[in-house]
Each structure stands twice: as structure tokens, then as C-alpha cells.
Amino acid sequence: MKLSLMIIFGGESNEYEVSLRSAAAVIANADKEKYDIIKMGITKSGEWNLYNGPVEKIANGEWVSDLKNTVHVAILPKGNQSALICLNGTMKQIRPDVIFPVIHGQNSEDGKLQGVLELLHIPYIGCKCFSSALCMDKSATKQILKDLDIPMAKWVDIRKSDINDALYEKLERELGYPMFIKPSNSGSSVGASKAETRKELVSALELAASVDTKILAEEYIDAREIETAVLDGLTKTTVSMTGEIEPCSQFYDYDTKYNSDVANYYIPSRISPSTEEKVREYALKIFRTLDCSELSRVDFFVTKDDERIVFNEINTLPGFTSISMYPKLMEKAGVPFSQLIDELVKSAVGRYSL
């Protein structure tokens, strides 16, 4: 018997477009012999809509104006009888067997959507409320990991209200130039920038503050950008080999990741076997310490001269686009895209029934 698999995409996030492309790839690779796919889109204004149109219109964003294939949905939390109710003149209840929230960023990956799904009492793929919120907050993540022998760059926590001349002087004194400024709660490098002068620092803080009230300033690490993928199945946890991203720009920012794609990718990465093994060891320790489940991508820096490892961040709902590192790494680990979806579904359903 087929399982009904609901793919949720879109969302009230600055990573909306990435979610559309990720979801389209998941839908295209899900085994239609095993799953009845239900496509649920969330608009930028927060409306939930059942979408029955072609997947191509999800990828290019046209789904939201394809009104003949769109039905508005309301959420009815009612314990194990919870459902999503179709409106637009109809009252059809939908209760999928499992939900895959292929959705990134604020109001989506940060535990808020996971809280809604918990209220529905329906199995869903991915980290739960606490770990989603914790991992989304880069500052909170660092505070948890700092006493666990996880090497990290020097950083300074900033509140939007703290920004003044005294702060500029403090950052220059404690971190020096160049430094990175990023929103504490954001993904895909949205709102992040590199500052090499006081003028650039002021602009970088303004940009980050436009995304989040919590900001993270970090020392610059001249290093390779190394990523590894974690798949937490029911019977075993797989940590992939490492991949390396060589951005052909200042750093691996949003435009480089998803628009211009001016980057080189290496799988496996160009680090020594011993350093690779240590990165994978750190990735699993971080994954488990932060109470993650099903999947995460864990990112590091590895310096080129002495291969010093520095933890960067963890992403609990990594991209699934055609150029995303997570599915590429899992494929190299012997788990192709279609099987990856199967493993995630099995894990989510199995853990829910425990």
C-alpha cells in the first residue's frame, strides 16, 4: 500500500525560492510506486494552499498564481484526529501518513513550523522543535558546543540595540579585520557579509540587523569550506565523506549558492584522510549533542596550511536542489536521491511509532 507523503514548500522566509527548487527536486525523485504525493505550498504571506498543478510551476514560482490548481487550506489541530481542511467551497479533510517540510529559513526551519506539525500529531521528517530552534540560532549553537572540545572561531554576540561606535571599537580590538558579520537566525548566508574596514563593518551590521535582532561577528578564517552530511536512520547513522566548496567570489554567499553558481565543488574534499575522519567525528558529536534527528548538514573550515578544523554551522533542513551538497554527499555515501527519501520517511514514521 502506498504512503501519502506531503511535501511542504515555500514559506515566510528569505529562502522561499530555494525551498521551491528543493521541493521540486524531492517531488521529482520520490518513488511514485511507493508514495502518493501531496503538494502543500505556503505563500510568502503565510497562506497554506494545496497545489495540484505541475511540479515545474513549483520550481519557477508560478504555482502561487496557478489558481485553478490551488485550494486554500486551514489547519485543524485535534490530537490524533488532526487534519488539514480544504476550503474554497469544499470541506475535504487531508491527513497524510508523513510530512516532509522541504522548507528553509525563518518561520520554517527554526522550530515554528515543527511546532505546528507536532500539534497535528502527524509524523514528519527532520529535527524536532527544540533542536530546530537551537541549530537555527548560530549564537545559541556555539554556546552549547563551546565546552565540548569543538573547535570554533572567536565570536562576539551582538544585539541590534548594541550597535554604536563603542561596538565597532570592540569588534576591531577582539576580532580584527577582516571579520564576518551574519544574522544569528538565518540560512543560506542571507544577510551575511565580510568586513575589511570600518565603513564595511557599519554596512555589514546594518545588513545583518535588517534580517535579525541577534547578530554574530566572527573572526575570519582563511580556509577550505568543508561540509558533511548526516543521515540518521532507524538502525544506523551515516556520516558521509566530506565535500568542499571553493567559491569564486568573496565567500559562499546566497547569490553564489543559488543564482550565479560561480563555485567549484569537490567530492571528496581536498583534505587529508586523518583530517577528514576528525571532521566526520566532530559532525556526529555535534549532531547528537544538539539532539538532531533524520538529517543535517554540518559545515566546517579547514585551514590550508596546517589543516586546523573549525566548526562553522549546522543546517537542519539543508538544500535539496540540483546543486545542493547534501544529496550529492549522500549519493557518494551509497544513498541515491530516491533511496534517501525512503530512508527519511522510514525514520520519521518509525520514530513516531516508538
Side-chain angles (χ1 to χ4, degrees):
M1 177 180 279
K2 288 186 179 182
L3 288 177
S4 56
L5 172 61
M6 176 178 285
I7 309 296
I8 302 182
F9 58 88
E12 299 175 86
S13 166
N14 47 26
E15 296 178 70
Y16 173 88
E17 287 78 11
V18 185
S19 171
L20 301 187
R21 290 156 62 182
S22 288
V26 170
I27 293 166
N29 283 278
D31 189 339
K32 306 308 185 293
E33 296 296 317
K34 296 179 181 178
Y35 308 111
D36 286 319
I37 303 297
I38 302 170
K39 294 169 285 190
M40 184 67 67
I42 303 177
T43 68
K44 289 183 178 181
S45 59
E47 294 181 351
W48 290 49
N49 292 301
L50 185 68
Y51 182 62
N52 295 311
V55 69
E56 293 79 13
K57 289 193 175 183
I58 295 175
N60 64 23
E62 293 179 5
W63 78 275
V64 75
S65 57
D66 186 10
L67 300 182
K68 69 178 181 180
N69 287 310
T70 301
V71 181
H72 185 56
V73 169
I75 301 170
L76 179 64
K78 196 178 178 182
N80 289 326
Q81 302 301 313
S82 296
L84 295 98
I85 311 297
C86 293
L87 303 179
N88 288 18
T90 66
M91 290 294 286
K92 176 185 175 183
Q93 290 193 11
I94 302 172
R95 185 174 171 82
D97 294 310
V98 61
I99 295 173
F100 191 174
V102 188
I103 197 163
H104 315 297
Q106 294 163 319
N107 299 314
S108 306
E109 192 179 344
D110 54 7
K112 294 175 185 175
L113 177 60
Q114 288 74 13
V116 173
L117 300 182
E118 291 281 353
L119 292 175
L120 290 174
H121 292 263
I122 297 173
Y124 66 91
I125 292 168
C127 296
K128 304 310 178 248
C129 297
F130 171 74
S131 55
S132 295
L134 178 59
C135 294
M136 185 71 174
D137 190 322
K138 298 175 183 64
S139 173
T141 298
K142 286 177 175 288
Q143 292 293 342
I144 294 292
L145 297 177
K146 69 178 182 178
D147 295 326
L148 294 178
D149 195 32
I150 303 294
M152 293 181 285
K154 291 187 291 185
W155 83 93
V156 175
D157 291 323
I158 302 165
R159 296 283 179 172
K160 186 175 182 178
S161 57
D162 295 336
I163 299 175
N164 53 35
D165 288 342
L167 174 67
Y168 306 147
E169 293 170 3
K170 176 182 178 180
L171 296 179
E172 290 168 339
R173 184 174 61 254
E174 295 188 12
L175 302 180
Y177 293 113
M179 70 181 81
F180 274 106
I181 306 296
K182 60 182 75 172
S184 192
N185 291 275
S186 186
S188 292
S189 300
V190 174
S193 49
K194 182 180 177 183
E196 301 190 66
T197 65
R198 170 70 70 89
K199 182 178 180 181
E200 289 180 355
L201 176 58
V202 172
S203 297
L205 287 166
E206 289 177 354
L207 176 61
S210 71
V211 177
D212 190 19
T213 57
K214 288 179 67 179
I215 302 164
L216 196 66
E218 291 180 313
E219 69 169 320
Y220 171 70
I221 305 292
D222 183 16
R224 303 183 188 277
E225 297 193 29
I226 303 297
E227 300 183 348
T228 187
V230 181
L231 172 62
D232 188 29
L234 273 180
T235 58
K236 71 172 184 176
T237 301
T238 300
V239 182
S240 76
M241 68 175 66
T242 61
E244 179 182 347
I245 298 165
E246 183 181 57
C248 301
S249 59
Q250 278 272 336
F251 68 102
Y252 197 45
D253 59 8
Y254 184 91
D255 186 64
T256 302
K257 289 177 180 177
Y258 300 112
N259 294 330
S260 61
D261 191 24
V262 286
N264 297 318
Y265 303 86
Y266 300 92
I267 301 175
S269 63
R270 299 173 296 177
I271 58 177
S272 68
S274 59
T275 301
E276 161 129 354
E277 193 58 35
K278 194 64 179 177
V279 166
R280 295 173 70 237
E281 179 185 317
Y282 281 140
L284 183 57
K285 185 175 184 179
I286 291 165
F287 183 89
R288 288 178 170 165
T289 298
L290 299 175
D291 197 28
C292 297
S293 51
E294 269 86 73
L295 75 165
S296 287
R297 193 194 70 235
V298 194
D299 302 346
F300 297 85
F301 298 118
V302 175
T303 57
K304 296 177 182 179
D305 52 355
D306 58 358
E307 292 206 332
R308 180 169 62 96
I309 301 169
V310 178
F311 168 66
N312 181 19
E313 61 185 36
I314 183 169
N315 190 312
T316 57
L317 277 171
F320 277 81
T321 72
S322 60
I323 63 170
S324 294
M325 190 64 90
Y326 185 86
K328 287 179 179 293
L329 287 169
M330 291 314 308
E331 184 172 13
K332 288 290 186 179
V335 188
F337 210 139
S338 181
Q339 184 184 338
L340 174 58
I341 296 169
D342 293 345
E343 293 296 326
L344 291 170
V345 168
K346 288 176 188 175
S347 181
V349 173
R351 282 195 169 88
Y352 182 81
S353 61
L354 290 177

